[in-house]
């Protein structure tokens, strides 16, 4: 198993935002976490990345990592695409992407990574010398994802990538996430867009007010009457 969360809880001062979560991700698997706004989905990703206070165990490639610093976790191959993109607005597209490869000292590897990102997101190559602030919301999401891919992750954590995007850009993004996963990269996808999340994932988890209430393969979750009523508008 690539990633395992065991009895994970997340705290903000005295407030327990996530309670006793168990979750697993296999090599090359795409797992979705769906739930309403405020359910605790982002807190789980932030706990994996080491940027919030948490209790419980987090295992990655057989190593327990919940005592490591965020930079140590990132160095092991866990990279997060944050909610709201958070690109560097005054830097060019090229410099934003190179920031993702700041740990890589081999210029040839950086150049190869840039080419892979440009093949996946051709619009970024067209905008390479533009400032990030000049891009549309969808293009900024591509840039944030490309920046994460520049770090050559083993596990990609994607936090609400469709947030604020037009239906057309959501379709493009969905295809690009599928392509990333098909290249055998494991992904944990947090999404309020349950339809998209369940189309993309092999397995999914349903989070409600900090508690994991359901898990299963994508087909079973799509057929679940409670899920259809609460998240799919059926």
């Amino acid at each position: 198993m690539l990633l395992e969360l065991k009895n994970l809880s997340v705290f903000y001062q005295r407030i327990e935002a996530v309670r006793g979560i168990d979750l697993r991700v296999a090599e090359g698997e795409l797992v979705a976490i769906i739930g309403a706004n405020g359910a605790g989905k982002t807190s789980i990703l932030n706990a994996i990345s080491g940027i919030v206070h948490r209790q419980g165990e987090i295992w990655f490639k057989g190593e327990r990592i919940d005592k490591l610093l965020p930079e140590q976790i990132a160095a092991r191959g866990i990279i997060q695409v944050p909610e709201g993109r958070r690109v560097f607005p005054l830097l060019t597209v090229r410099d934003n992407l190179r920031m993702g490869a700041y740990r890589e000292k081999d210029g040839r590897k950086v150049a190869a990574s840039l080419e892979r990102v440009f093949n996946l997101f051709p619009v970024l190559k067209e905008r390479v010398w533009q400032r990030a602030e000049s891009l549309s919301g969808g293009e900024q999401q591509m840039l944030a994802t490309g920046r994460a891919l520049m770090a050559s992750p083993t596990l990609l954590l994607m936090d609400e990538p469709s947030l604020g995007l037009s239906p057309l850009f959501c379709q493009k993004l969905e295809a690009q996430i599928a392509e990333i996963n098909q290249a055998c990269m494991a992904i944990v996808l947090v999404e309020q867009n349950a339809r998209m999340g369940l189309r993309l994932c092999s397995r999914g988890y349903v989070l409600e007010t900090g508690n994991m209430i359901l898990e299963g393969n994508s087909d079973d979750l799509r057929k679940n009457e409670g899920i259809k009523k609460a998240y799919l508008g059926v």
Side-chain angles (χ1 to χ4, degrees):
M1 195 59 62
L2 181 67
L3 176 75
E4 287 188 272
L5 311 184
K6 300 180 180 180
N7 197 31
L8 178 74
S9 296
V10 177
F11 295 86
Y12 297 96
Q13 296 182 351
R14 296 183 180 181
I15 298 173
E16 189 177 25
V18 172
R19 290 175 287 279
I21 299 299
D22 293 324
L23 181 147
R24 67 190 189 282
V25 182
E27 296 272 359
E29 187 177 28
L30 195 160
V31 169
I33 305 174
I34 65 173
N37 188 36
K41 306 184 299 298
T42 294
S43 294
I44 293 176
L45 297 192
N46 289 343
I48 297 169
S49 295
I51 57 179
V52 294
H53 177 64
R54 72 269 201 227
Q55 294 179 356
E57 298 180 13
I58 303 175
W59 293 80
F60 184 65
K61 293 183 176 179
E63 176 191 8
R64 188 169 175 181
I65 63 169
D66 49 271
K67 304 300 182 185
L68 299 182
L69 297 173
E71 57 267 32
Q72 295 172 317
I73 293 172
R76 280 160 174 76
I78 299 177
I79 303 297
Q80 186 167 342
V81 183
E83 180 182 353
R85 276 81 77 174
R86 298 188 190 179
V87 296
F88 299 100
L90 300 183
L91 296 184
T92 64
V93 166
R94 179 180 181 275
D95 287 342
N96 266 274
L97 291 173
R98 288 181 65 85
M99 287 293 289
Y102 77 98
R103 297 182 58 87
E104 181 56 66
K105 307 305 180 187
D106 188 331
R108 291 171 298 179
K109 290 183 179 179
V110 174
S113 294
L114 268 174
E115 195 57 35
R116 284 193 294 270
V117 169
F118 289 150
N119 287 337
L120 182 63
F121 304 116
V123 70
L124 297 183
K125 190 169 188 178
E126 297 171 10
R127 310 273 196 271
V128 66
W129 299 114
Q130 289 184 215
R131 286 184 175 182
E133 65 181 356
S134 70
L135 303 182
S136 70
E139 291 165 349
Q140 287 187 19
Q141 183 62 56
M142 294 177 189
L143 180 57
T145 304
R147 181 181 60 191
L149 294 176
M150 290 292 295
S152 301
T154 303
L155 175 63
L156 191 64
L157 309 178
M158 303 194 73
D159 193 358
E160 302 281 11
S162 73
L163 186 66
L165 301 187
S166 70
L168 179 60
F169 257 112
C170 284
Q171 290 177 10
K172 290 181 179 179
L173 181 65
E174 184 174 340
Q176 289 157 344
I177 293 172
E179 186 174 347
I180 293 167
N181 179 237
Q182 286 163 7
C184 295
M185 183 177 296
I187 299 174
V188 178
L189 174 66
V190 156
E191 261 298 340
Q192 274 187 271
N193 184 342
R195 288 183 182 276
M196 187 177 95
L198 292 178
R199 280 195 300 264
L200 282 167
C201 75
S202 55
R203 290 187 305 107
Y205 293 82
V206 182
L207 196 64
E208 189 174 283
T209 59
N211 298 292
M212 201 70 82
I213 62 169
L214 192 63
E215 68 170 285
N217 66 52
S218 57
D219 288 338
D220 289 342
L221 291 177
R222 280 196 296 266
K223 294 173 185 175
N224 182 281
E225 291 300 322
I227 298 302
K228 288 197 288 186
K229 290 178 182 178
Y231 301 106
L232 303 181
V234 177

